[in-house]
Each structure stands twice: as C-alpha cells, then as structure tokens.
Amino acid sequence: MYGFDSYVAVGDSFTEGLNDELPDGSFRGFADRLAEILAGGRSDFRYANTALRGKMIAEIVDEQIPVALEFQPDLVTLCAGGNDIVVPGVDVDAVAARFEEAVVALRSAGITVAVFTGPDTKVMSVMNRLRGKVAIYNAHLRAIAERHGAHLVDLWSMEALHDRRAWSDDRLHFTPEGHRRIALCTADVLGVPLDQDWREPWPAATAPDTWISLRRSDLEWTRVHLLPWIRRQLRGESLGDGLTPKRPRLDPLRPSDGGLVDSQPSP
C-alpha cells in the first residue's frame, strides 16, 4: 500500500521485540507493529524477523544480512551494535565499520534500508554513563545513513523516549508503549500516512520518584539484571544461545493478537 510489499527486520533484542510481551509469552515489538502498518490489512504482504537477543554486530552482519539479501525484500530495518558498545573497552569505530558493511551490501542490492540511532539513556540511572559511547556511535550511524541513502530513525532525539515509562525495568529494552511509538516514528520516517502521533505527550505522572526509591531501584536492577549480565559476559554466554528467530522466513504476515492501537500511554 505504501510502496513496500515485503519487509525483513534484522538485529538484536530490540528488533526481536523485548519486552513487548504477548499473552502467549512471545514478543511483539516495534518491527511486528511496523509490519502491521505497512501491510495495511493486505494478506499478500510478506514479513520476516531474523533478529535475536544478545547478537553482536559480527553475528548480525555474518548471519542475518546474507539471509536478508537472499530474500530480496523491499525494505530492511537494521539496528545493531548496541550489545557491542556496552562492553568495556570496545572499539566503537570498528563496530561502526561493520555496521557500514551491512548497509552497503543491502543498498547495493537495491533494498530500501532504515537504520536506528541508539536512544539517549540520560533518564536511566547507571545506564546514563554510556551516553558518550552511544553519542559517538550515533555520529557514525548518521554519517553512514547519509553516505548510502538509508533512512535514519533517530531514537536519540525522540522526546517520547526521554520518559522512564518508555523503558522496561531492565533499562535496556522498551515497554509496549515505547515500541508502539517507535513503530509509528519509523513509519513516519518512511513516509507512511498515519492517524496516530508518536510525539503525543505522556500523561502526567501520578507520583514523582524520590531519592530513596531511585536508589532502591538501582540496587534491584543491579541484582536482577547487571550481575547476571556480567556473569554471562565472563562465561562467553548470550541470552540468545539455543534460540531461533521468531519469523525466519519471508512469509505472508499473520497479525499478532490485537492491533497497533491496543497499547496507549499510561501514567
């Protein structure tokens, strides 16, 4: 309906859809929501999602990009490198170089590409220490998109994501409402007419956070999320080990339970 008859989503946990959970325990995410918008109710619209949680840039470029090239879709969304740049001592420039390889390959095949900057973590305690690395990586991504004619979805500047309610408890992934707004923003960048506005302000918060509540939250986050992540890094393990992509084939879209409009802002 909007110039796209097929779409492949490539990436890591963000594109897989964590933590936009469906009733059956699977994940929906911005990519599924975007596919529903692009399909516009058509039964012949085809969609694949090869993203998998925990994937690093090298794995995405070496494993998922060849699959996307084989499918030859009209559109590919690519978000990668986030798992790399959170690792201490990583060479952000080298990560960006691998990202550019993927964009070049896709654009050389005549595929429309949309890429995503990393979001601003300023509102997220502890995670806000990564802002400098994310900003450097984002500068690379903006230049890559401009050089190769890719669409850029600038999550860093999305005001709606500067609210903690857009983020899930792990401080890495988005809530269903965050995913909904990102899907709308991506469709907007692609020139798709919309009847909803991703810029809509959040409702007023019911109660402000206190210093004590924030520190308790930091301690709980460290116990539940940070320490297990450190243990996985030391063991060379990934959250995606043993898992397979949720939509590995470019098949006709079967919409998930509910529609794009079923998730609305909450206080």
Side-chain angles (χ1 to χ4, degrees):
M1 182 178 294
Y2 307 114
F4 302 112
D5 295 321
S6 55
Y7 163 38
V8 175
V10 171
D12 50 30
S13 56
F14 165 60
T15 302
E16 184 184 352
L18 276 67
N19 288 318
D20 186 3
E21 192 167 353
L22 289 165
D24 65 0
S26 63
F27 295 106
R28 189 181 185 187
F30 89 88
D32 287 13
R33 292 170 180 271
L34 175 63
E36 292 168 15
I37 297 173
L38 297 176
R42 292 176 295 159
S43 61
D44 60 343
F45 182 86
R46 296 179 299 149
Y47 169 51
N49 189 322
T50 61
L52 201 60
R53 68 197 75 174
K55 288 297 182 181
M56 311 294 274
I57 185 71
E59 295 172 303
I60 292 170
V61 174
D62 294 342
E63 299 169 8
Q64 296 183 40
I65 296 300
V67 174
L69 289 169
E70 180 181 351
F71 288 155
Q72 282 291 299
D74 297 325
L75 170 69
V76 167
T77 57
L78 171 62
C79 186
N83 289 321
D84 295 81
I85 64 175
V86 300
V87 177
V90 71
D91 185 342
V92 177
D93 299 340
V95 176
R98 292 305 313 270
F99 189 99
E100 186 163 18
E101 287 180 29
V103 175
V104 168
L106 294 167
R107 293 294 295 134
S108 296
I111 298 170
T112 298
V113 177
V115 301
F116 300 76
T117 67
D120 189 353
T121 58
K122 181 177 181 179
V123 298
M124 304 304 298
S125 178
V126 183
M127 293 301 293
N128 54 20
R129 298 177 184 178
L130 294 172
R131 290 185 81 209
K133 290 170 69 175
V134 175
I136 293 171
Y137 190 53
N138 285 350
H140 280 296
L141 298 183
R142 293 186 182 98
I144 291 168
E146 183 176 356
R147 279 197 295 270
H148 303 293
H151 296 275
L152 182 73
V153 184
D154 193 353
L155 301 185
W156 180 279
S157 66
M158 273 189 71
E159 190 68 29
L161 302 185
H162 298 170
D163 190 298
R164 279 194 294 271
R165 287 169 290 183
W167 296 79
S168 59
D169 290 342
D170 64 11
R171 305 184 184 181
L172 288 172
H173 303 103
F174 295 103
T175 59
E177 176 61 14
H179 278 283
R180 185 185 77 91
R181 290 177 184 253
I182 292 168
L184 289 170
C185 181
T186 307
D188 193 14
V189 168
L190 293 171
V192 178
L194 299 168
D195 59 5
Q196 300 177 61
D197 187 0
W198 55 269
R199 303 175 185 84
E200 181 182 1
W202 288 81
T206 54
D209 292 317
T210 64
W211 184 89
I212 293 177
S213 67
L214 290 173
R215 298 295 76 76
R216 286 174 176 168
S217 176
D218 287 346
L219 290 172
E220 180 67 7
W221 175 79
T222 299
R223 182 184 68 82
V224 175
H225 300 289
L226 179 59
L227 293 179
W229 180 84
I230 293 173
R231 285 194 290 269
R232 287 195 300 271
Q233 290 294 309
L234 293 174
R235 296 169 182 166
E237 298 174 350
S238 167
L239 280 175
D241 289 347
L243 301 179
T244 56
K246 63 181 181 181
R247 293 186 63 95
R249 297 179 299 274
L250 190 59
D251 290 334
L253 176 67
R254 292 186 297 274
S256 55
D257 294 342
L260 182 76
V261 297
D262 65 353
S263 176
Q264 298 295 334
S266 57

